[in-house]
Amino acid sequence: MLPIKLEVVNFLPYRNPNPIILSDLHLACLSGANGAGKSALLDAITWALWGKARTRLDDDLIHLGQAEMSVTLDFQQDGHLYRVSRSRRLMRKRDNSGRGQGTSTLTLFGWDDALQAFGVISGGVRETQLQIDRLLRMNHDLFVNSAFLQQGRADSFTMQTPAERKRILSEILGLAQWERYEDTVKGLLRDITQEIAVLGNRIVEAEQEIEREGLLKKQLEDALLRQAEQQERVDAAQVAYDQLHGADQARLAAQNMITEIKRDLAEGAADLRRTDRDIDDHHASLAQLADTLSNADQIREGIGKLAAARAESDALANKLALHASLKEQIARHQAMLAAAEAEIVAQLRGLERDIAHQQELVRAGQVVQVELDELNQQIDRLDNIDNERDAARSHIALNNEQAAGLRAHNEQLKDEMDRIKERVDLLRSTEVAECPLCKQPLSEEHQAAVVAQFTTEGRQRGDAFRNNKERLQELVEETRQFQEQLVAQERALVDLPRLRARQGHLEKQVFDGERAATLLQGYQQQVQQLETQRERGDFAPEARALLEAAQQELATLAYSEDRRQALRAEIAVYEGYQAEAEALRLAEEMQPKVQQALERLQEFRARLVTRREEKEAALHRCEASLPELIAREAEMRLRRQELERQHAQLLSAKEHVGHARQELAAIESLRHAPARNGSSAGMSWPCSSRFTNNLRLLLGTRASPQ
């Protein structure tokens, strides 16, 4: 692992220094006075990688007065560039009584050559720490006991137990890996021994099989002869079966034909019955149409008389409608004149009521004007008190806000003073020559200087604390005075809403009186105009003109109610011919169509009879040929069974031939294998070669072929 760059923020004595670049350095030396922060840089590296430093608690690593810190380290491992970033933040307790336990975050990045940027390659804190240990191939204990000597702990390795020193050296030298190699080689040797034993057994079996070669050749010749004879029997059975092949399909086709013909005959019989019924219905329809056509002259004469009576009745109906319309117009115009006069009377009554109401409003407005003037003076005085109350409320809110800020500041100051006091007490109580905070060497003079610095900072925060407390008391006193003033003002303003409501009511009465005086003059003028218009009859001129015109037109109209009643009775007598005329028209239209349909039905019936005779003849032929087809099908099934039996025997003969050939081929392959007396030398090389190859794969680049 080669460090490249180190960045720290609020870590031990460092607030926010510039990054430390180590990429171009092969050897670096840090120099400075005690307490300058040399060891803090090395602690930053170990804390970034493993979250461990010389202090007991991570929160003690945070710079004094700060709430969080972070360390970022760029390093190179196995030719790849990585970045690890670890941070910690202090948490306040729920009751704000002090500092709680802090929380840490850890992130690992890898350099992406394609993007030319770092990318996150980690998960949670625990998983990321394990990933860093695997990447560096060491944990913190191994690091501080091998590559890093902590200040004051140079004898860390020698102080370990023998078992721990052996474990650390084993991890450094990688001895555990060679133990795994030894176990793997022993397993390979066991496999080779077992394989040699198996191959010896196979050689004995091969020699026994070679001795049976003559017998197997004789069995193969017999099997080939039986196979040829069985093939001839199969060919003969196939020829016999082919002669009757398809007999079952012919029988099935004949039966299907018989079923189809019977179904066609049943459907034809049903069609013939329906056709006979349709022919009878058409004969009846033609008889009805002929009866209707015989009364054609009488029906046409009645229709003519009905048309004449309706024409005369329509003319009288038009006059009747005009007569009724004129009567209705006269009544409507008379009602319009009466309504117009009633409207004038109603307007006069309404104006009289409005005049009385406006006079009452004028008198009421004059009475309340004096009370309104006195009430306005009282409300003006209370408005001034209301403005003073708002100012007092603003002062109270401002004082409360300042007091809250001072209390929060004092809590922060108290927390800082407690922390300073703890550190001063810790410095004064220690007797060793090192700083109890950062574990660095500390002289007496340096200790006194640090104690003096912390004491000065504590005194400054104490002065600020007391000043804030005095100002807080002043604000409390001012707030109390404003609150007393506010109580008195609230008592004085209790009646203000009621007085404002009364003011609005009185102002409305005065306004209504002034507006009523103006309206009163207009109402009196309207009364004079309406009375003059009623006396002269100067209203609804259009209705009067329309009434006179309707009366004149009614006098000139000729209309007889008796003649209208007589025509109505005559129309009722001749209306029956209207339905008969429609029936006559339909009969004249339908008679040729029904006759044509009857002729088509008779032709269709003749075709149905001819088709039935043809189907019956075909049915007789199919039923006569069916027994012969059934017999041929039975013979075909017997021949097919015989063919299948011969095929099965042929397959058995072929299997015997194939089995004999397989055994002979196996014996031939055994004959070409290494002889038994040379089997050990012939097998030792492949086994040894495989063992060597597996060993090379196991060792990889760490071992040579030897």
Side-chain angles (χ1 to χ4, degrees):
M1 188 272 293
L2 296 177
I4 303 300
K5 184 174 69 173
L6 177 66
E7 298 182 49
V8 295
V9 177
N10 295 332
F11 186 82
L12 287 175
Y14 295 101
R15 181 71 175 85
N16 190 10
N18 294 328
I20 300 176
I21 307 300
L22 305 172
S23 58
D24 296 332
L25 300 179
H26 297 285
L27 179 64
C29 176
L30 301 178
S31 63
N34 290 337
K38 302 184 296 300
S39 300
L41 296 178
L42 301 178
D43 288 335
I45 295 177
T46 60
W47 189 78
L49 292 173
W50 292 286
K52 294 183 179 180
R54 290 171 297 165
T55 59
R56 184 174 59 87
L57 299 176
D58 288 349
D59 293 345
D60 293 337
L61 298 174
I62 301 177
H63 189 76
L64 182 63
Q66 302 301 316
E68 61 179 342
M69 68 173 177
S70 65
V71 178
T72 301
L73 175 65
D74 293 358
F75 63 93
Q76 186 176 358
Q77 177 70 23
D78 295 334
H80 299 285
L81 186 60
Y82 298 94
R83 170 176 291 173
V84 60
S85 178
R86 191 185 298 266
S87 62
R88 188 165 184 86
R89 175 186 292 272
L90 294 179
M91 305 297 292
R92 296 191 64 84
K93 293 185 178 179
R94 295 182 180 273
D95 56 359
N96 292 324
S97 60
R99 185 177 64 181
Q101 185 177 3
T103 59
S104 298
T105 60
L106 176 61
T107 307
L108 180 63
F109 303 87
W111 180 259
D112 191 334
D113 292 333
L115 300 177
Q116 290 296 303
F118 281 103
V120 178
I121 59 174
S122 62
V125 175
R126 185 183 300 275
E127 293 80 3
T128 304
Q129 187 60 63
L130 294 176
Q131 187 175 359
I132 292 173
D133 292 345
R134 289 192 299 269
L135 180 64
L136 299 178
R137 295 192 287 275
M138 67 174 63
N139 54 22
H140 179 262
D141 293 337
L142 183 59
F143 180 68
V144 299
N145 285 284
S146 61
F148 178 59
L149 297 180
Q150 285 184 310
Q151 185 174 0
R153 298 184 61 186
D155 58 347
S156 175
F157 177 75
T158 58
M159 294 299 294
Q160 300 290 341
T161 63
E164 284 296 319
R165 291 199 299 272
K166 179 180 179 181
R167 182 186 62 79
I168 294 172
L169 289 175
S170 178
E171 292 184 4
I172 295 174
L173 300 177
L175 298 180
Q177 184 176 6
W178 291 98
E179 293 177 356
R180 292 194 297 272
Y181 293 163
E182 181 182 2
D183 294 340
T184 303
V185 170
K186 290 179 180 179
L188 292 175
L189 290 176
R190 286 194 298 270
D191 294 341
I192 292 172
T193 304
Q194 294 175 0
E195 185 176 355
I196 291 173
V198 170
L199 291 177
N201 294 331
R202 290 182 180 177
I203 291 172
V204 174
E205 295 174 357
E207 291 177 348
Q208 294 175 355
E209 290 294 330
I210 292 174
E211 293 176 356
R212 297 176 57 246
E213 182 177 9
L215 178 60
L216 291 175
K217 289 183 178 180
K218 182 61 171 65
Q219 292 177 355
L220 176 60
E221 292 176 358
D222 295 341
L224 289 173
L225 180 59
R226 288 193 298 273
Q227 178 181 347
E229 294 173 353
Q230 185 61 35
Q231 183 65 49
E232 293 176 357
R233 288 192 288 271
V234 168
D235 295 340
Q238 182 68 46
V239 172
Y241 173 74
D242 291 341
Q243 292 175 354
L244 295 179
H245 181 64
D248 54 345
Q249 299 296 328
R251 189 268 310 164
L252 181 61
Q255 288 182 340
N256 292 338
M257 180 64 70
I258 291 172
T259 302
E260 184 177 359
I261 291 173
K262 288 181 178 180
R263 184 176 64 251
D264 291 343
L265 286 173
E267 293 177 356
D271 292 340
L272 188 59
R273 288 192 298 272
R274 286 194 298 270
T275 303
D276 290 339
R277 288 195 299 269
D278 292 342
I279 290 174
D280 294 339
D281 293 341
H282 280 69
H283 280 298
S285 297
L286 287 175
Q288 292 178 358
L289 293 174
D291 183 59
T292 301
L293 292 173
S294 63
N295 298 323
D297 295 338
Q298 182 181 358
I299 293 172
R300 291 189 178 94
E301 182 180 359
I303 288 298
K305 292 180 180 181
L306 177 63
R310 283 180 173 176
E312 185 177 358
S313 176
D314 292 340
L316 288 177
N318 293 333
K319 291 183 179 180
L320 174 61
L322 182 58
H323 183 271
S325 176
L326 291 173
K327 285 286 189 181
E328 182 183 357
Q329 291 178 17
I330 291 171
R332 186 170 64 254
H333 297 326
Q334 290 175 346
M336 291 173 62
L337 290 174
E341 185 175 5
E343 177 66 21
I344 293 176
V345 173
Q347 291 180 5
L348 289 173
R349 299 291 182 271
L351 288 172
E352 290 174 357
R353 290 191 298 272
D354 292 340
I355 289 172
H357 177 66
Q358 300 302 327
Q359 290 174 346
E360 181 65 24
L361 291 176
V362 170
R363 288 192 296 272
Q366 294 172 352
V367 171
V368 302
Q369 181 64 50
V370 177
E371 182 183 356
L372 178 62
D373 294 339
E374 296 176 356
L375 185 62
N376 287 336
Q377 295 177 0
Q378 187 176 0
I379 290 175
D380 291 340
R381 182 178 59 81
L382 292 178
D383 285 339
N384 294 331
I385 296 175
D386 191 17
N387 294 332
E388 295 175 357
R389 181 186 61 178
D390 293 340
R393 287 176 177 174
S394 299
H395 284 295
I396 291 173
L398 181 59
N399 289 346
N400 290 335
E401 183 178 356
Q402 292 179 1
L406 292 173
R407 290 190 185 97
H409 190 204
N410 273 1
E411 290 180 1
Q412 181 179 359
L413 291 173
K414 186 177 182 302
D415 188 16
E416 293 178 357
M417 288 188 295
D418 291 341
R419 292 174 60 188
I420 292 173
K421 184 177 182 302
E422 291 177 1
R423 299 195 175 191
V424 170
D425 293 342
L426 184 61
L427 288 171
R428 287 175 175 174
S429 63
T430 182
E431 296 179 357
V432 297
E434 64 177 12
C435 178
L437 299 179
C438 62
K439 304 299 182 181
Q440 296 180 359
L442 187 64
S443 62
E444 293 181 358
E445 296 178 356
H446 191 191
Q447 179 180 8
V450 174
V451 170
Q453 179 183 355
F454 284 157
T455 303
T456 301
E457 292 179 359
R459 187 180 298 108
Q460 292 174 353
R461 287 169 173 76
D463 295 341
F465 182 86
R466 288 185 291 274
N467 293 335
N468 290 342
K469 189 173 182 181
E470 293 176 0
R471 177 55 183 162
L472 185 62
Q473 293 176 353
E474 295 175 358
L475 291 175
V476 171
E477 179 62 23
E478 290 180 4
T479 301
R480 185 188 62 76
Q481 295 176 2
F482 280 120
Q483 288 178 343
E484 292 177 354
Q485 179 183 351
L486 186 63
V487 171
Q489 292 169 344
E490 292 287 351
R491 287 197 299 269
L493 294 174
V494 170
D495 294 334
L496 181 60
R498 180 182 60 78
L499 295 177
R500 288 189 184 279
R502 180 60 180 169
Q503 180 188 31
H505 180 68
L506 295 178
E507 288 178 348
K508 183 178 183 304
Q509 288 184 340
V510 172
F511 175 77
D512 291 343
E514 295 174 352
R515 186 169 64 88
T518 303
L519 295 175
L520 185 62
Q521 297 178 359
Y523 290 159
Q524 292 173 349
Q525 294 178 358
Q526 292 179 14
V527 168
Q528 294 178 359
Q529 294 175 358
L530 290 174
E531 288 178 349
T532 303
Q533 186 177 4
R534 182 183 178 188
E535 292 174 357
R536 296 178 180 178
D538 187 12
F539 55 88
E542 296 181 358
R544 290 182 183 277
L546 293 174
L547 176 61
E548 294 175 357
Q551 290 173 346
Q552 293 177 359
E553 186 175 0
L554 181 63
T556 59
L557 181 65
Y559 172 73
S560 175
E561 182 64 25
D562 295 338
R563 178 55 183 167
R564 181 171 176 273
Q565 296 298 329
L567 288 172
R568 182 176 297 176
E570 185 177 351
I571 290 172
V573 172
Y574 290 113
E575 278 182 346
Y577 285 104
Q578 188 171 2
E580 295 181 1
E582 179 64 21
L584 177 62
R585 184 187 66 79
L586 292 176
E588 291 174 347
E589 180 180 352
M590 293 300 297
Q591 185 182 28
K593 296 181 179 179
V594 174
Q595 183 63 39
Q596 293 176 1
L598 177 60
E599 293 174 357
R600 288 194 297 270
L601 286 173
Q602 291 172 347
E603 294 176 357
F604 179 66
R605 186 181 187 282
R607 290 196 298 272
L608 289 177
V609 172
T610 302
R611 186 180 305 168
R612 182 184 61 183
E613 294 173 353
E614 295 174 352
K615 291 291 183 180
E616 289 175 349
L619 178 62
H620 177 71
R621 290 192 299 272
C622 290
E623 290 177 345
S625 63
L626 186 59
E628 180 182 357
L629 294 175
I630 293 175
R632 287 176 59 84
E633 182 183 6
E635 180 64 22
M636 182 201 70
R637 294 182 185 278
L638 293 175
R639 294 182 181 183
R640 182 168 58 192
Q641 293 175 359
E642 177 63 19
L643 178 60
E644 292 174 353
R645 187 177 66 83
Q646 297 297 336
H647 270 296
Q649 293 180 1
L650 177 61
L651 180 60
S652 177
K654 289 182 178 180
E655 290 178 352
H656 283 87
V657 172
H659 181 66
R661 286 176 174 172
Q662 289 178 356
E663 290 186 345
L664 289 173
I667 292 173
E668 185 66 21
S669 63
L670 291 174
R671 179 177 290 111
H672 292 289
R676 184 171 184 180
N677 56 5
S679 59
S680 176
M683 289 184 294
S684 61
W685 166 245
C687 295
S688 176
S689 176
R690 188 182 67 171
F691 167 76
T692 303
N693 292 334
N694 290 336
L695 182 60
R696 289 177 180 174
L697 292 175
L698 178 65
L699 300 181
T701 58
R702 295 178 178 266
S704 65
Q706 289 73 20

